[in-house]
């Protein structure tokens, strides 16, 4: 009697099974999407979706595509999101099929590598901040960043820590010298920062924070 052993992790097998269910081949159980995508060269790309999903979409009493444009802030922003999503789907650096088999340390290193890769391709996905403040389009930044959040939320969290907790603290509370030394390179991703929680019982439970208070008799504090 012959036996075989599947050496892949259980998580990988579950992800692959789910992927086969959700992303079927166009030979059976799928139909062409009613909202085809267009690549940057203007060539129509037919998207195949599962027949159950297609049937539910067909029941809508409103134009689904128009609602998408409305939620995105306009058709041009929807097209921006789809353009970035196509780039990520074809980029090996954003292949998420084995993500659940990696250790925490491996994931942390992978996220840092992805962020460095995003800096390299920032022009291709349109993430460079305009030089003039009046040219800044918040909806465009959101449209181009949202696919990255959907593809890997850990990347979004790490970039958020850098921009919101680290960079903002320097820009809003730092001296002019500190802003020049740390803020400027941080804005251009030449310096990447983090933050540290010093509470003994730190975490997401605010009432659970722990600390130590020491009375100073000399200062009566």
């Amino acid at each position: 009697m012959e036996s075989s052993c599947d050496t892949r992790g259980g998580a990988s097998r579950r992800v692959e099974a789910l992927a086969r269910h959700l992303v079927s081949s166009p030979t059976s159980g799928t139909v062409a999407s009613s909202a085809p995508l267009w690549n940057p060269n203007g060539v129509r790309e037919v998207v195949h979706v599962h027949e159950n999903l297609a049937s539910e979409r067909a029941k809508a009493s409103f134009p689904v595509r128009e609602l998408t444009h409305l939620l995105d802030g306009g058709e041009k922003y929807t097209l921006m999101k789809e353009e970035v999503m196509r780039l990520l789907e074809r980029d090996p650096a954003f292949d998420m099929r084995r993500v659940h088999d990696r250790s925490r340390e491996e994931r942390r290193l992978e996220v840092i590598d992805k962020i460095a890769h995003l800096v390299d391709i920032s022009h291709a996905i349109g993430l460079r901040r305009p030089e003039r403040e009046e040219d800044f389009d918040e909806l465009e930044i959101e449209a181009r960043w949202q696919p990255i959040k959907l593809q890997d939320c850990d990347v979004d969290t790490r970039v958020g820590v850098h921009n919101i907790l680290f960079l903002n603290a320097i820009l809003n509370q730092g001296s002019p010298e500190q802003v020049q030394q740390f803020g400027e390179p941080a804005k251009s991703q030449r310096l990447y920062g983090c933050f540290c929680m010093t509470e003994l019982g730190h975490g997401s439970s605010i009432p659970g924070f722990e600390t130590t208070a020491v009375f100073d008799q000399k200062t009566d504090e």
Side-chain angles (χ1 to χ4, degrees), residues 15-36:
V15 170
E16 288 182 357
L18 182 61
R20 287 194 299 270
H21 174 72
L22 296 177
V23 186
S24 306
S25 66
T27 56
S28 64
T30 61
V31 297
S33 170
S34 59

Side-chain angles (χ1 to χ4, degrees), residues 6-19:
D6 190 342
T7 59
R8 297 171 300 163
S12 288
R13 293 195 298 273
R14 290 192 294 273
V15 170
E16 288 182 357
L18 182 61

Side-chain angles (χ1 to χ4, degrees), residues 80-220:
M80 288 177 187
K81 289 172 60 175
E82 293 173 344
E83 176 187 2
V84 175
M85 183 58 76
R86 281 192 295 269
L87 290 172
L88 297 179
E89 288 174 345
R90 298 166 182 169
D91 192 330
F94 280 87
D95 186 347
M96 301 290 288
R97 287 176 294 181
R98 294 290 182 268
V99 64
H100 299 294
D101 291 333
R102 298 185 178 101
S103 66
R104 178 184 299 180
E105 186 62 27
E106 289 172 336
R107 274 295 291 157
R108 286 175 173 171
L109 294 174
E110 181 182 53
V111 167
I112 295 299
D113 288 340
K114 283 186 177 182
I115 293 173
H117 181 60
L118 280 174
V119 174
D120 292 338
I121 65 172
S122 58
H123 280 297
I125 59 180
L127 278 179
R128 287 292 186 183
R129 191 182 184 96
E131 295 183 2
R132 301 190 309 169
E133 194 64 28
E134 56 266 30
D135 295 333
F136 180 76
D137 186 342
E138 187 174 351
L139 284 177
E140 178 176 351
I141 296 298
E142 175 62 21
R144 295 188 181 279
W145 185 253
Q146 192 175 65
I148 299 172
K149 292 194 291 186
L150 294 173
Q151 192 79 355
D152 192 337
C153 62
D154 289 341
V155 170
D156 175 60
T157 299
R158 185 63 185 85
V159 172
V161 167
H162 172 76
N163 288 331
I164 299 173
L165 299 176
F166 175 74
L167 180 56
N168 278 352
I170 294 174
L171 297 180
N172 296 326
Q173 302 178 39
S175 66
E177 294 78 15
Q178 290 171 328
V179 171
Q180 181 65 32
Q181 182 177 356
F182 302 109
E184 294 304 320
K187 286 194 291 185
S188 59
Q189 285 82 40
R190 288 181 287 118
L191 172 68
Y192 236 83
C194 59
F195 79 109
C196 176
M197 302 181 73
T198 58
E199 294 84 355
L200 299 179
H202 67 79
S204 58
S205 174
I206 302 300
F209 274 12
E210 301 173 6
T211 188
T212 300
V214 179
F215 180 69
D216 189 336
Q217 292 183 343
K218 294 181 180 180
T219 62
D220 195 31

